[in-house]
């Protein structure tokens, strides 16, 4: 039971330390800022859970984030696009681009029979290179379009932003897909024992393409959220997002061997990482130690997972 709930215990302990160390930690503004700032990461980690449980990895989510944001920003300045769809519709382009790139990942992995780690490492380089070409090495900004794109990004209910509401809806949808649908059961089957899944009439290729498509959709959606937040996009956006997402999934207690896990665990892992980052800021600790602390936490989580499997 201790191993199963280790991430929740760590969250409570970290929150308690931060609450004692800083009177500002429990402020509603600070708590909502933590969630709003980590909305893209929560979205990606939720979808990535399905890939990991299915026995794969995706190292291209950061590049998909960047390419989706760059294409969205480019569309917002295209006269033809603005004429037919309006500038604000550019934020819908990101998820569509991400979905297409995710399908490409899935098809390449299943067709070439290349391990997802290597395949997505290669596609990450390709996607970010394409983003670099589209952006021309510059940052594409939307500040000049602000009057026309206000409605998708400015409305809020108190401290709850559009990004927060989008994140909640998408994360809940991923949890339902994994735990309450036939596709979700097939993901567990393929990740647990692919040969047995084939004998049961399940197509591992279709399951993997579907899982990678969802991750691409999530990364594209995260790219649109990132674009709406800073109103600018460049090829270097999302750098490191893939590693933080994988860290959150694994830190939450999902099996790196596939076949076991839950979306809520990825939420918990991301929140723990977010608390660590926030703690270094509000306690004014030297950020040099931040990566060391995160690395030790992740290593401990993996060690616990391996012992539990044994």
């Amino acid at each position: 039971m201790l191993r199963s709930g280790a991430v929740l215990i760590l969250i409570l302990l970290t929150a308690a330390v931060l609450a004692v160390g800083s009177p500002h930690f429990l402020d509603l503004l600070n708590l909502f800022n933590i969630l709003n700032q980590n909305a893209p990461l929560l979205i990606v980690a939720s979808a990535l859970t399905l890939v990991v449980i299915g026995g794969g990895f995706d190292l291209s989510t950061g590049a998909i984030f960047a390419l989706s944001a760059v294409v969205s920003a480019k569309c917002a300045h295209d006269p033809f696009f603005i004429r037919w769809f309006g500038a604000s519709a550019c934020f819908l382009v990101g998820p569509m681009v991400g979905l297409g790139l995710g399908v490409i990942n899935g098809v390449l992995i299943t067709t070439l029979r290349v391990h997802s780690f290597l395949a997505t490492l290669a596609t990450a380089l390709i996607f970010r290179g394409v983003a670099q070409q589209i952006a021309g090495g510059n940052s594409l900004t939307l500040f000049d379009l602000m009057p026309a794109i206000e409605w998708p990004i400015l409305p809020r209910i108190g401290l709850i932003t559009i990004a927060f509401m989008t994140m909640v809806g998408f994360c809940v949808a991923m949890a339902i897909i994994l735990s309450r649908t036939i596709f979700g059961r097939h993901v567990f089957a393929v990740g647990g024992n692919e040969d047995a899944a084939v004998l049961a009439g399940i197509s591992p290729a279709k399951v993997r393409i579907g899982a990678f498509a969802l991750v691409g959709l999530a990364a594209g959606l995260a790219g649109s959220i990132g674009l709406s937040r800073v109103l600018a996009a460049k090829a270097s956006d999302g750098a490191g997002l893939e590693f933080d997402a994988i860290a959150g999934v694994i830190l939450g207690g999902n099996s790196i061997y596939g076949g076991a896990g839950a979306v809520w665990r990825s939420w918990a892992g991301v929140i723990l990482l977010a608390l660590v980052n926030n703690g270094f800021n509000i306690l004014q600790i030297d950020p040099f130690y931040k990566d060391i602390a995160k690395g030790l936490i992740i290593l401990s989580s993996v060690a616990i997972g391996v012992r539990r499997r044994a």
Side-chain angles (χ1 to χ4, degrees):
M1 185 181 299
L2 179 61
R3 291 176 182 175
S4 178
V7 64
L8 298 179
I9 295 173
L10 285 173
I11 288 175
L12 293 176
L13 290 176
T14 304
V17 170
L18 295 179
V20 172
S22 173
H24 303 294
F25 172 72
L26 293 179
D27 289 348
L28 283 179
L29 180 59
N30 181 59
L31 296 178
F32 272 98
N33 279 339
I34 293 175
L35 293 175
N36 285 324
Q37 291 170 3
N38 289 277
L41 182 56
L42 279 164
I43 288 172
V44 174
S46 295
L48 185 62
T49 306
L50 278 71
V51 170
V52 173
I53 291 176
F57 279 94
D58 193 339
L59 296 179
S60 67
T61 52
I64 293 176
F65 177 102
L67 182 52
S68 300
V70 166
V71 172
S72 296
K74 195 73 172 179
C75 286
H77 289 90
D78 183 77
F80 178 83
F81 183 90
I82 293 176
R83 177 183 176 184
W84 288 98
F85 303 103
S88 60
C90 70
F91 296 110
L92 300 177
V93 174
M96 296 171 61
V97 172
L99 178 62
L101 298 178
V103 171
I104 290 174
N105 276 338
V107 171
L108 288 175
I109 291 167
T110 56
T111 302
L112 301 180
R113 297 185 179 276
V114 181
H115 193 280
S116 58
F117 185 93
L118 297 176
T120 55
L121 176 61
T123 56
L125 297 174
I126 296 172
F127 296 158
R128 202 171 286 279
V130 173
Q132 184 75 21
Q133 291 298 317
I134 295 175
N138 302 314
S139 178
L140 304 177
T141 64
L142 301 183
F143 294 105
D144 54 325
L145 301 174
M146 193 56 190
I149 60 174
E150 287 183 351
W151 72 265
I153 60 178
L154 292 183
R156 63 170 61 206
I157 303 174
L159 297 175
I160 301 177
T161 63
I162 294 293
F164 179 84
M165 290 185 283
T166 303
M167 178 267 292
V168 171
F170 186 87
C171 291
V172 171
M174 289 300 101
I176 293 174
I177 288 174
L178 181 62
S179 61
R180 294 288 187 269
T181 67
I182 295 176
F183 177 76
R185 291 196 291 271
H186 288 181
V187 169
F188 280 106
V190 170
N193 191 324
E194 184 174 336
D195 293 334
V198 171
L199 293 175
I202 299 173
S203 172
K206 292 181 180 179
V207 171
R208 290 200 171 98
I209 291 174
F212 278 97
L214 288 174
V215 174
L217 175 66
L221 179 60
S224 288
I225 290 177
L227 176 63
S228 69
R229 179 175 295 159
V230 299
L231 296 179
K234 56 185 182 297
S236 61
D237 287 346
L241 174 68
E242 60 274 19
F243 300 113
D244 287 339
I246 292 174
V249 172
I250 296 175
L251 184 57
N254 294 299
S255 174
I256 58 175
Y257 303 101
V263 174
W264 72 263
R265 289 189 169 279
S266 298
W267 302 343
V270 171
I271 290 173
L272 179 57
L273 291 176
L275 290 180
V276 172
N277 289 330
N278 184 252
F280 272 83
N281 293 331
I282 64 176
L283 297 180
Q284 298 182 346
I285 302 175
D286 190 341
F288 172 78
Y289 299 102
K290 183 187 299 184
D291 290 338
I292 297 177
K294 289 166 63 176
L296 291 173
I297 292 172
I298 295 168
L299 184 61
S300 301
S301 175
V302 172
I304 292 174
V306 171
R307 291 191 61 186
R308 183 168 54 210
R309 178 181 173 87

